[in-house]
Amino acid sequence: MLYRETVQLKNGAELLLRSADAADGAEALAVFNQTHAETEYLLTYSDETSFTAENEAELLQKKAESEKSVFILAVLDGKVVGDAGFDPVGSRDKLKHRAEFGIAILKEYWGIGIGSALTDACIKCAKEAGYRQLELDVVAENTAAIALYKKHGFVEFGRNPRGFLLRSGEYQEFVNMRLEL
């Protein structure tokens, strides 16, 4: 799915939101690795990825050509500083109304409106793709993210007290959230 929009951030800067494609493979992978190293709130540790820039390029190209998935880059002053996207929960009739949403932003750029802009863009794309529900899991202690999602209309529908098991042996609770489109 293709998307392109320029938005103004809280600090007055212009942020380009655009679909990623094969040419973005190396930079998108670098951002993935950095965002996953900066926080315990994302799905994997940065050292767990076995993707290469070529693998990432192939994946991004497939998403750019898909009618049911999107991967949007947040570009500030020519630099990719975050990304967001969604994928179908499933292709079966009983599941094809649902998409799973994810977002990651470089820590240095938290709090200036990038997350809100990316979330808005993904909601627009999910509606365009015909989804009726956008879903996510968020770590319960990530209160800033929960507030962002609530601001965009997501509601909590459950919790998983053992959502993540950290390498330290501690668990992180998931809050399951959804947005009816």
Side-chain angles (χ1 to χ4, degrees):
M1 176 173 278
L2 298 178
Y3 186 85
R4 187 176 189 88
E5 180 182 18
T6 301
V7 298
Q8 190 169 21
L9 297 174
K10 293 177 187 177
N11 63 6
E14 284 196 351
L15 178 72
L16 172 62
L17 300 172
R18 66 169 179 81
S19 299
D21 61 24
D24 298 305
E27 191 169 15
L29 182 60
V31 169
F32 174 92
N33 287 331
Q34 185 175 343
T35 56
H36 285 68
E38 291 177 334
T39 182
E40 295 269 344
Y41 297 149
L42 298 174
L43 180 63
T44 62
Y45 291 103
S46 61
D47 63 1
E48 290 182 300
T49 184
S50 59
F51 261 43
T52 65
E54 293 78 22
N55 298 138
E56 186 74 7
E58 288 175 28
L59 178 68
L60 294 177
Q61 190 60 43
K62 284 180 185 172
K63 288 185 186 251
E65 295 168 1
S66 171
E67 293 179 11
K68 291 294 190 178
S69 294
V70 74
F71 193 83
I72 299 171
L73 300 177
V75 183
L76 188 60
D77 297 326
K79 176 183 176 182
V80 176
V81 298
D83 56 60
F86 60 78
D87 290 300
V89 168
S91 61
R92 307 257 186 214
D93 284 347
K94 292 181 179 182
L95 296 174
K96 64 183 180 182
H97 67 288
R98 299 167 50 203
E100 211 165 17
F101 171 68
I103 186 169
I105 300 165
L106 296 173
K107 196 169 192 173
E108 173 183 352
Y109 297 93
W110 289 3
I112 61 172
I114 295 170
S116 189
L118 282 166
T119 302
D120 277 339
C122 285
I123 291 169
K124 288 177 196 173
C125 289
K127 287 178 179 178
E128 184 181 318
Y131 289 109
R132 295 184 184 181
Q133 185 165 289
L134 201 52
E135 304 173 9
L136 60 90
D137 293 327
V138 58
V139 174
E141 61 194 53
N142 190 352
T143 56
I146 292 171
L148 168 73
Y149 303 139
K150 284 181 176 179
K151 177 180 128 183
H152 289 281
F154 284 83
V155 294
E156 178 178 336
F157 70 91
R159 289 185 176 241
N160 180 345
R162 293 180 161 205
F164 280 162
L165 174 59
L166 303 178
R167 288 178 175 165
S168 67
E170 297 174 75
Y171 287 101
Q172 286 181 314
E173 182 176 39
F174 275 170
V175 177
N176 311 112
M177 300 185 82
R178 67 184 174 87
L179 174 67
E180 291 182 19
L181 302 171

